[in-house]
Amino acid sequence: LGFAELLSECRKARVLPEYLDQFDEAEVRDFILRLHAHEDALDGYVPRDAELPVHLFAAEDQSTEFDEQVPPEVLARHADPRTGWLAHVPASLLRVVPVPGDHGSMMADDIPELGQAISAALDASLHETRHGAAASGPAAEASTTPVTTEGERT
């Protein structure tokens, strides 16, 4: 069975995610190749511990189209956007910045808000660097306010 036939059979059986319906054979092949490249990169990546502030821009809407395929206990374990980061970044240096949207829309529909959040974080960091103290104001508060596991600021 060649790739085209396999793709056709998978589409007939409705076993592929709906978002792949819009892609032709070449686009699906490219998508799969990108997934493999990402997996290879992740497999070989070993982060170093951070010694400076890290801003984590976390989507406020943490739901995904894959939620129904993931066991609830796994979703719960990864509900905190800091999951994985705290092993390499001290909590005092990890600044979670909530941004509108979900993982995909924050890089598309919600990109202006993400850009504003990045600019505010950079401004707050610059202020902190120049003045040797934690910055204050809405930008700094957004970057240092703890986030609950629900993605809401506390």
Side-chain angles (χ1 to χ4, degrees):
L1 206 64
F3 184 79
E5 294 84 11
L6 177 62
L7 180 59
S8 177
E9 291 300 316
C10 288
R11 284 184 165 155
K12 286 179 194 171
R14 308 287 304 151
V15 296
L16 298 174
E18 285 184 26
Y19 63 85
L20 289 179
D21 289 345
Q22 64 185 323
F23 298 149
D24 64 23
E25 178 187 339
E27 292 170 322
V28 171
R29 188 182 299 271
D30 287 344
F31 178 81
I32 292 169
L33 290 172
R34 273 195 316 278
L35 280 179
H36 283 290
H38 288 168
E39 288 175 6
D40 289 346
L42 286 172
D43 287 345
Y45 178 69
V46 180
R48 295 184 316 191
D49 292 346
E51 299 173 7
L52 59 145
V54 173
H55 289 81
L56 172 59
F57 299 92
E60 290 176 335
D61 178 1
Q62 296 180 4
S63 64
T64 73
E65 58 192 83
F66 302 110
D67 284 358
E68 66 275 358
Q69 300 168 4
V70 179
E73 61 274 9
V74 173
L75 289 174
R77 221 175 23 245
H78 295 283
D80 184 342
R82 300 171 305 165
T83 299
W85 287 91
L86 291 175
H88 302 284
V89 181
S92 62
L93 295 177
L94 184 60
R95 298 175 180 164
V96 178
V97 182
V99 292
D102 60 30
H103 184 74
S105 72
M106 69 186 277
M107 296 300 292
D109 300 337
D110 298 306
I111 197 96
E113 291 84 357
L114 176 61
Q116 289 171 351
I118 291 171
S119 293
L122 289 170
D123 288 345
S125 292
L126 182 59
H127 183 270
E128 185 177 333
T129 300
R130 287 183 176 163
H131 300 287
S136 61
E141 290 171 15
S143 67
T144 58
T145 303
V147 175
T148 69
T149 57
E150 308 303 322
E152 300 171 359
R153 286 189 235 164
T154 58

